[in-house]
Amino acid sequence: MKNTIFVTEPSLPPLAEFIPYLEEIWENKWLTNNGQFHQQFEQALAEYLGVRYVSLFTNGMIALQIGLQALRITGEVITTPFTFVATTHAIHWNSCTPVFCDIDPVTYNLDADKLESLITPKTTAIMPVHVYGNPCNVEKLQRIADTYGLKLFYDAAHAFGVRTHGESVLNFGDLSMLSFHATKVFNTFEGGALITNEPKLKQRIDFLKNFGFAGETTVVAPGANGKMDEFRAAFGLLQLKHIDEEIAKTRRVAERYRAALAEVPGITLMEDLPNVVHNYGYFPILVDEVRYGLSRDALYDKLKANGYYGRRYFYPLSSQFPSYRHLPSAEPGRMPVAEAITERVICLPIFANLADECVDRIAMLIKDVEGEISEGNCA
Ligand SMILES: *Cc1c(COP(=O)(O)O)cnc(C)c1O
């Protein structure tokens, strides 16, 4: 029987290490609302990431929604179609209109060179995504935001621990969102955070994630409930002790793939970017059907038939879903780079404990274009 290898497998610490944290929670009987683990985890994360303020959330989606509220974004928000739908949905849930901008052919991030022509009198913010943890063109985006008086809010769901020129990528813009969902590099089962350098913004975010309460009887805004509980904050504290080792192991997997797939005609790999510390959360490849000899979907199906479940992140484009495809900026032909990449991309399985034999089998299946079946399964 074949075991299935999914695109990722969550990192979990040894269970025994978590028990003392649980005992403490049972002892204190303080389960949520800014408890001691919540406070410790916010502090520890800020230190680990090299950022000023962290506000923890119960998931990344609500962090995006509350971030937009905290920044008082209205009207039109320029964003990328090459992302997980949560980015676009958050804009919609805040009664704003997403305006889609094409992506850069090297990083697959919102193309700062194509952004200015989309700005209208209704534009109030730019919402780019550091896709696969590759940093956006942060300097150019900041220049444009400053020139036009726009807010800059990064969806950094993929960018845990990523650094550019020695600086956390989370320090750019007005606000950044992290996701600690089970499938992300760093997980708390579900979870998320907003990162800012602004103390007043941090305070407003903390009010908004707790129903707008600013004191026992003072409600300053129509907030929501986005709080992270003590269970997951404690788990996050423990995860932090292991994350460096997990990322180092995942990096070795990426290097093994790169060595094995370096010279396959029609298969393009993403290389590490200069002056960037990566987290190796994703291993995207691009399939050029003509040069490779199989379509992207044919290769995806073949890997799946052998028990290796890659994912076509991000296909379809967010702008192609029924909720958004009527928008003028979503019209086919307006984003040629995004439209091409979404048809060619597969993210291969990658995680800290992916065995060398699995990487080798997956690489073999890709290299053996004609072959259908690999001998046995690696797991
Ligand atoms: C995972 C993800 C989110 C949503 O985060 P959750 O914690 O799952 O709510 C948002 N944006 C992107 C780009 C993501 O990959």
Side-chain angles (χ1 to χ4, degrees):
M1 230 208 56
K2 281 185 173 165
N3 288 316
T4 305
I5 305 285
F6 292 103
V7 70
T8 190
E9 179 185 280
S11 289
L12 291 170
L15 182 57
E17 289 183 22
F18 192 41
I19 304 298
Y21 292 85
L22 292 178
E23 286 169 350
E24 214 168 316
I25 294 172
W26 259 247
E27 185 80 20
N28 296 336
K29 296 188 171 48
W30 189 290
L31 307 187
T32 187
N33 287 40
N34 202 28
Q36 62 153 350
F37 286 127
H38 186 282
Q39 291 174 31
Q40 285 173 32
F41 186 36
E42 282 195 346
Q43 198 56 45
L45 264 179
E47 275 163 32
Y48 177 86
L49 296 168
V51 301
R52 190 125 178 242
Y53 298 112
V54 174
S55 289
L56 294 172
F57 278 85
T58 192
N59 62 54
M61 172 77 195
I62 191 105
L64 284 176
Q65 292 170 274
I66 287 186
L68 287 165
Q69 285 281 317
L71 292 169
R72 302 177 192 275
I73 304 305
T74 57
E76 294 175 1
V77 179
I78 300 176
T79 188
T80 172
F82 194 72
T83 183
F84 184 60
V85 285
T87 320
T88 322
H89 286 345
I91 295 168
H92 181 83
W93 272 77
N94 275 269
S95 306
C96 297
T97 306
V99 175
F100 296 106
C101 178
D102 203 4
I103 61 173
D104 176 278
V106 176
T107 62
Y108 312 166
N109 290 328
L110 190 153
D111 189 342
D113 294 332
K114 294 184 178 168
L115 169 61
E116 275 178 279
S117 64
L118 297 168
I119 296 172
T120 76
K122 290 185 183 158
T123 310
T124 61
I126 311 168
M127 213 164 156
V129 181
H130 302 297
V131 179
Y132 313 135
N134 290 321
C136 292
N137 187 345
V138 287
E139 255 123 50
K140 176 135 200 196
L141 288 169
Q142 191 64 59
R143 267 203 308 281
I144 296 172
D146 290 345
T147 303
Y148 292 88
L150 307 175
K151 297 289 186 194
L152 184 50
F153 182 6
Y154 286 103
D155 179 334
H158 302 179
F160 186 91
V162 170
R163 302 180 75 82
T164 171
H165 296 87
E167 167 107 35
S168 171
V169 77
L170 306 168
N171 281 330
F172 295 90
D174 296 284
L175 207 53
S176 295
M177 178 280 281
L178 285 173
S179 167
F180 308 143
H181 182 257
T183 56
K184 303 301 203 279
V185 165
F186 179 90
N187 87 79
T188 58
F189 288 47
E190 294 262 7
L194 287 174
I195 313 294
T196 177
N197 296 316
E198 252 308 308
K200 284 194 190 127
L201 185 55
K202 153 85 172 156
Q203 176 180 268
R204 181 164 160 78
I205 289 164
D206 288 346
F207 293 162
L208 284 170
K209 78 175 191 187
N210 186 29
F211 308 101
F213 278 107
E216 203 178 316
T217 53
T218 316
V219 171
V220 293
N225 182 1
K227 302 187 300 289
M228 179 183 275
D229 58 73
E230 285 292 277
F231 180 94
R232 288 184 285 153
F235 187 76
L237 272 173
L238 175 56
Q239 287 284 65
L240 264 190
K241 296 185 180 170
H242 297 279
I243 184 64
D244 284 341
E245 195 191 333
E246 295 295 294
I247 291 174
K249 283 165 75 182
T250 315
R251 178 186 181 149
R252 288 203 291 275
V253 175
E255 283 165 357
R256 197 171 182 91
Y257 270 131
R258 281 179 185 157
L261 296 173
E263 313 267 304
V264 186
I267 298 290
T268 307
L269 311 181
M270 275 188 126
E271 298 300 330
D272 283 0
L273 298 166
N275 301 311
V276 172
V277 176
H278 293 268
N279 64 24
Y280 305 95
Y282 298 86
F283 197 87
I285 62 169
L286 290 192
V287 182
D288 177 335
E289 179 169 355
V290 176
R291 286 185 59 220
Y292 178 60
L294 276 183
S295 71
R296 182 275 306 267
D297 289 343
L299 176 59
Y300 169 81
D301 289 338
K302 173 173 142 177
L303 292 173
K304 202 163 165 177
N306 281 278
Y308 304 110
Y309 283 48
R311 289 296 299 266
R312 286 163 289 188
Y313 293 141
F314 289 100
Y315 166 82
L317 297 173
S318 195
S319 53
Q320 291 168 335
F321 287 112
S323 319
Y324 306 115
R325 67 185 174 211
H326 66 281
L327 295 169
S329 63
E331 204 176 291
R334 293 194 57 157
M335 295 179 287
V337 180
E339 288 163 26
I341 303 284
T342 192
E343 296 292 337
R344 291 185 194 169
V345 71
I346 306 180
C347 289
L348 300 180
I350 188 164
F351 46 90
N353 289 325
L354 184 61
D356 287 351
E357 304 85 77
C358 295
V359 176
D360 297 347
R361 283 267 160 75
I362 293 166
M364 265 253 287
L365 280 164
I366 295 171
K367 284 195 275 194
D368 181 14
V369 182
E370 305 285 310
E372 283 296 323
I373 308 284
S374 81
E375 294 295 310
N377 188 277
C378 62

